[in-house]
Amino acid sequence: MSVTRFTDDTAQIALDKFRAGRIDRRAFLTAMAGLGLAVAARPTTAAAAAGEIVICNWGGAALEAFQKAYGAPFKAATGINVVVDGAGPATGAIRAMVESKNVTWDVTDGGMVDAVVLGKGGFVEPIDYSIVDKSLVGPDMAAEFGICNYTFANVLAYDAKKTGGKVPAGWADFFDLEKFPGKRTMCKWIQGQLESVLLADGVKPEEMYPLDVDRAFKKLEPLLPHIIFWEGGAQSQQLFRDGEVTLGNIWHTRANLLHKENHDFAWTWSQQLLFSSAWSVPKGNPAGKKVFDFINSSLQPEGQVTLLRLMGNGPSNPKALALMNDDDKAVYPLAPQNVATALKIQAAYYADNEAELQNRFLDFISR
């Protein structure tokens, strides 16, 4: 769930830039394509024709970005056209396509959680690692039914004007109302929320899963009156602009935008919560094995750096780092100076537990 919401949010960021005249139409469309998203109104579901690859993502600014980052290099190398469909690869849609034997997408931009869930249900193909080179991605990014196409993070953002210039050292400071007075903001969607609470309560990263939910709720309860929960990335950004919050658990892309508009807004990579998005291949995809050639191509570092610059999505190929300038590295979750204390969100755990956890969390925070 968090991955798809993040993807949707990056598309909104690109759309806002386009409307404000900060990027041109070509860059906007490239950004949309990079995320596998359609522009503006979502098109009807694209059906693959002979000799092409159809990607499905969540539409918006990522359509052009995905096309530039992934589609164009693949076409240049193979002559095979890449079509980006922004209809949104919801797990229910994939299930329906496979069950009806009417699959129109070759590869979908979801999350590792979706890949695990769909794989267990028999709705996606195993990634063919005889074609896809898993060494192109970092550790723990190549799974049976999904391979990481980009990364992103939840980070601790802060308003330095409100903190008096003090920099929070990690999630323990998020709970310290004496050291950092003022409201906080957290996301109402569960992934990456209880992990921050448990890190603040002293749980070691290697002992994080399975989550001790009761312990997390006990730690979080006294802070609830001081928290405003956000639903979308734009809202998390606005809470800082309006001066309503001092600290926040927000996506790194939104923290970066805040910093660009006002340097009083900053964030720390300390104890960042790291997510992996993933390609998955619906069972019975029209392009067959050729889709794995595309996936392999999309993992090349050049295209991934293009996507980082267009959309803020972090490369999954470690070799992309060598192509980055200092500005790129500053917003890259896996840059060595940023990743040392990161906690990787465990997809397998959420694949088994997310639905129940989400309901409990919503009940808890709405009391």
Side-chain angles (χ1 to χ4, degrees):
M1 179 179 290
S2 289
V3 170
T4 55
R5 291 184 188 283
F6 172 80
T7 305
D8 207 20
D9 191 62
T10 54
Q12 185 61 50
I13 290 171
L15 180 59
D16 291 344
K17 287 181 178 178
F18 176 61
R19 286 171 171 165
R22 295 198 296 274
I23 60 174
D24 60 20
R25 178 172 174 77
R26 178 174 293 279
F28 169 67
L29 293 174
T30 300
M32 291 296 95
L35 286 175
L37 305 183
V39 182
R42 291 179 175 182
T44 55
T45 301
E52 69 179 20
I53 301 291
V54 175
I55 301 169
C56 184
N57 66 13
W58 297 89
L63 281 176
E64 187 173 357
F66 268 44
Q67 192 62 259
K68 185 173 183 178
Y70 298 150
F74 183 68
K75 184 174 183 179
T78 65
I80 297 174
N81 193 39
V82 174
V83 176
V84 184
D85 181 351
T91 54
I94 296 171
R95 288 190 184 102
M97 276 190 178
V98 174
E99 286 175 342
S100 66
K101 300 186 185 305
N102 185 30
V103 176
T104 58
W105 299 327
D106 291 303
V107 61
T108 58
D109 175 37
M112 278 295 185
V113 175
D114 289 350
V116 174
V117 170
L118 290 167
K120 285 183 176 179
F123 297 101
V124 293
E125 302 280 359
I127 301 297
D128 189 339
Y129 288 113
S130 70
I131 301 172
V132 178
D133 181 359
K134 65 172 62 176
S135 73
L136 292 175
V137 299
D140 303 322
M141 292 184 181
E144 183 177 6
F145 295 103
I147 188 163
C148 182
N149 51 355
Y150 58 81
T151 60
F152 64 97
N154 278 36
V155 296
L156 202 175
Y158 60 97
D159 182 343
K161 194 171 183 179
K162 288 180 176 291
T163 67
K166 288 187 292 188
V167 178
W171 296 110
D173 283 346
F174 192 81
F175 285 82
D176 193 334
L177 291 167
E178 289 191 12
K179 190 175 179 182
F180 294 98
K183 293 280 189 181
R184 278 78 166 131
T185 186
M186 296 177 69
C187 184
K188 68 185 296 183
W189 310 118
I190 189 71
Q191 290 186 32
Q193 303 310 303
L194 298 188
E195 286 88 342
S196 68
V197 177
L198 291 170
L199 285 169
D201 206 34
V203 175
K204 297 177 180 177
E206 61 271 25
E207 297 172 355
M208 183 60 64
Y209 297 100
L211 297 176
D212 188 336
V213 178
D214 292 338
R215 178 174 174 174
F217 283 4
K218 183 178 179 180
K219 173 73 174 178
L220 184 59
E221 187 160 16
L223 198 65
L224 285 178
H226 305 278
I227 300 175
I228 302 172
F229 287 90
W230 57 271
E231 294 187 48
Q235 183 187 6
S236 71
Q237 201 174 339
Q238 193 62 40
L239 288 169
F240 278 95
R241 288 196 192 107
D242 292 343
E244 292 197 53
V245 299
T246 301
L247 306 175
N249 178 341
I250 70 176
W251 288 319
H252 82 277
T253 46
R254 289 291 177 179
N256 184 40
L257 290 174
L258 281 167
H259 184 68
K260 285 181 176 178
E261 68 185 46
N262 182 343
H263 283 193
D264 284 334
F265 301 134
W267 81 93
T268 175
W269 288 107
S270 177
Q271 296 183 314
Q272 62 157 303
L273 305 164
L274 184 63
F275 292 83
S276 294
S277 183
W279 293 128
S280 291
V281 177
K283 186 161 285 186
N285 71 298
K289 290 285 186 181
K290 287 182 181 177
V291 72
F292 296 112
D293 292 325
F294 165 77
I295 290 174
N296 215 41
S297 172
S298 75
L299 303 179
Q300 297 304 315
E302 293 82 2
Q304 295 206 337
V305 171
T306 297
L307 193 62
L308 172 69
R309 291 172 180 167
L310 289 169
M311 304 295 291
N313 304 37
S316 56
N317 187 331
K319 291 183 178 178
L321 187 66
L323 306 179
M324 295 182 192
N325 58 36
D326 288 344
D327 288 342
D328 298 329
K329 293 174 184 175
V331 297
Y332 177 35
L334 294 179
Q337 62 268 37
N338 302 332
V339 76
T341 59
L343 171 72
K344 291 182 180 178
I345 300 301
Q346 192 175 97
Y349 174 78
Y350 278 102
D352 291 336
N353 298 285
E354 182 172 17
E356 179 185 352
L357 272 182
Q358 184 64 66
N359 288 333
R360 283 189 65 184
F361 189 56
L362 291 177
D363 288 344
F364 176 73
I365 65 177
S366 61
R367 291 181 304 167

